Amino acid sequence: MNKWWRYGLWGVLVIAVLAAAHVAFWQRYMVERDHNQVQLTLNYDEVASLAGLKGLSAVEGLKEFKKHGITGVVLREPMLEDLRLAGDIQIYTGQGLVNLQSSHTAPVWLSSLLEKTTLVKSNTYILTFDKEIYQQLRTQMSAKLASVKTLEVDDSTYVIETTAPYIAIKELGAGFTRYSITDVQQAGMTVILQIRTWPGATQQSIDKVFASYRDIPGVSAVMFNEDTLPGYPSLLPELAAQIEEMHVPLVQVEFFPQFGFTKVGFLLDKNVVRLHTIPQNELKRMSPGEALDRYTLAAAERNHRILLIRPF
């Protein structure tokens, strides 16, 4: 009886192991069933830079790459400092504007601004002449910062005032510019949003920020830029709910662990795709053939569904 009992126990254990393996296989199959192709993508900023060196516009550069099989573009959310360097915004302190007021070179818009607000010397004033940039920043900054005031100085001059010093907010995510989205659309490619985390995220700020992302056409996936997801650790369910409303998968970047990613992935019922890329510092030590082998291995053996190609 002991002998048969042991055989029976071993049989039950074997069946349990096989059943568990079957469940794991089936879950993996269900996840991969909808993500069974490999997409080749490029970073928008890198394409725009390369195109400029060749005397082409960003959209012309994207169309050239599309001829070689690139179908997606990663849009990395710009920082306020990126917009400043691009000339889209100008930054002033209240003290700087006071000094400018007494100068013979004071701009014509300054008098109109003074009619609408009283300058605070320690405050930061962000100026733009682009209405779309203004609307974009108004949404992002009012969601992510505690004290923001927006002013339409005239038909072509817009100001955002905040108590935060610029040095503390220059790396704040500024949303996605309309011209980059339009370039990707005109090239006939899909968009992967690379979203920046912001400090002090709340349920309201997460809802407001992601509501603006749902208006972006052609989004195929979302990913995050920093090593910590917005709202970590207590607001991850809200973050997952907002991603789910976009009806796109979450991107996991190989060799880049992110706090909160695993929980959000489970909350999304494992609607996750894996991305592989080669960092520039590693790419410099490789030949094109070695890079090709690495990308091929990532797709064929490690089940990556997005390859972010970095040009030599």
Side-chain angles (χ1 to χ4, degrees):
M1 290 295 295
N2 288 339
K3 177 181 177 182
W4 288 110
W5 184 86
R6 286 196 299 271
Y7 287 159
L9 179 59
W10 278 110
V12 170
L13 290 174
V14 169
I15 292 171
V17 169
L18 291 175
H22 175 76
V23 170
F25 171 80
W26 181 252
Q27 289 176 336
R28 177 67 173 272
Y29 167 75
M30 294 300 290
V31 170
E32 295 300 329
R33 181 183 59 178
D34 297 326
H35 307 298
N36 57 3
Q37 294 183 352
V38 177
Q39 183 181 38
L40 303 183
T41 65
L42 287 169
N43 179 283
Y44 175 85
D45 294 331
E46 291 180 349
V47 174
S49 178
L50 286 172
L53 291 173
K54 293 292 186 180
L56 302 174
S57 66
V59 67
E60 288 172 332
L62 289 171
K63 288 180 178 179
E64 287 297 316
F65 278 111
K66 188 178 181 182
K67 296 175 183 177
H68 299 279
I70 302 295
T71 60
V73 179
V74 174
L75 285 183
R76 188 179 189 184
E77 183 180 5
M79 304 180 292
L80 288 176
E81 181 67 0
D82 294 323
L83 297 186
R84 186 190 72 83
L85 292 174
D88 292 319
I89 61 174
Q90 298 174 23
I91 307 297
Y92 298 92
T93 61
Q95 182 63 62
L97 290 175
V98 169
N99 296 341
L100 195 59
Q101 181 185 5
S102 59
S103 169
H104 67 278
T105 59
V108 294
W109 52 263
L110 183 54
S111 59
S112 298
L113 174 63
L114 292 172
E115 293 174 1
K116 293 179 178 292
T117 189
T118 301
L119 296 177
V120 179
K121 293 182 179 181
S122 59
N123 283 3
T124 299
Y125 295 82
I126 300 175
L127 172 78
T128 182
F129 301 107
D130 187 318
K131 189 170 185 177
E132 287 193 358
I133 294 290
Y134 167 69
Q135 292 173 337
Q136 171 188 328
L137 289 181
R138 180 174 60 180
T139 298
Q140 296 293 322
M141 294 183 66
S142 63
K144 297 173 180 177
L145 297 176
S147 179
V148 173
K149 182 179 179 181
T150 59
L151 300 163
E152 297 191 25
V153 179
D154 55 43
D155 291 340
S156 60
T157 308
Y158 312 92
V159 172
I160 298 175
E161 178 184 0
T162 176
T163 57
Y166 182 66
I167 193 171
I169 62 172
K170 66 179 184 177
E171 295 184 356
L172 188 74
F176 296 93
T177 56
R178 178 59 55 185
Y179 64 79
S180 61
I181 296 167
T182 301
D183 285 347
V184 177
Q185 279 186 283
Q186 291 180 353
M189 296 180 175
T190 61
V191 174
I192 298 174
L193 299 180
Q194 187 172 1
I195 301 167
R196 292 186 180 276
T197 297
W198 63 96
T202 63
Q203 179 174 341
Q204 183 179 11
S205 68
I206 292 173
D207 292 349
K208 191 172 183 179
V209 167
F210 274 83
S212 67
Y213 297 157
R214 288 197 291 273
D215 295 332
I216 298 176
V219 176
S220 63
V222 297
M223 59 192 292
F224 291 96
N225 189 71
E226 281 78 28
D227 61 4
T228 303
L229 270 58
Y232 175 83
S234 59
L235 293 175
L236 295 179
E238 182 62 25
L239 179 64
Q242 291 298 324
I243 296 172
E244 190 169 26
E245 284 194 31
M246 296 181 71
H247 307 293
V248 296
L250 177 64
V251 175
Q252 181 180 32
V253 182
E254 189 177 28
F255 307 130
F256 184 49
Q258 295 174 299
F259 291 105
F261 187 95
T262 300
K263 182 173 181 178
V264 172
F266 277 112
L267 291 170
L268 291 172
D269 196 25
K270 300 181 181 179
N271 187 19
V272 175
V273 293
R274 302 177 70 199
L275 177 148
H276 180 77
T277 191
I278 303 175
Q280 287 288 1
N281 61 335
E282 295 183 39
L283 197 63
K284 291 177 182 178
R285 302 191 296 268
M286 290 183 173
S287 68
E290 290 171 330
L292 179 60
D293 288 343
R294 176 161 162 176
Y295 282 122
T296 303
L297 187 68
E301 297 190 14
R302 297 204 305 279
N303 209 33
H304 289 74
R305 291 294 172 252
I306 301 174
L307 301 181
L308 176 57
I309 309 299
R310 309 205 87 112
F312 277 86

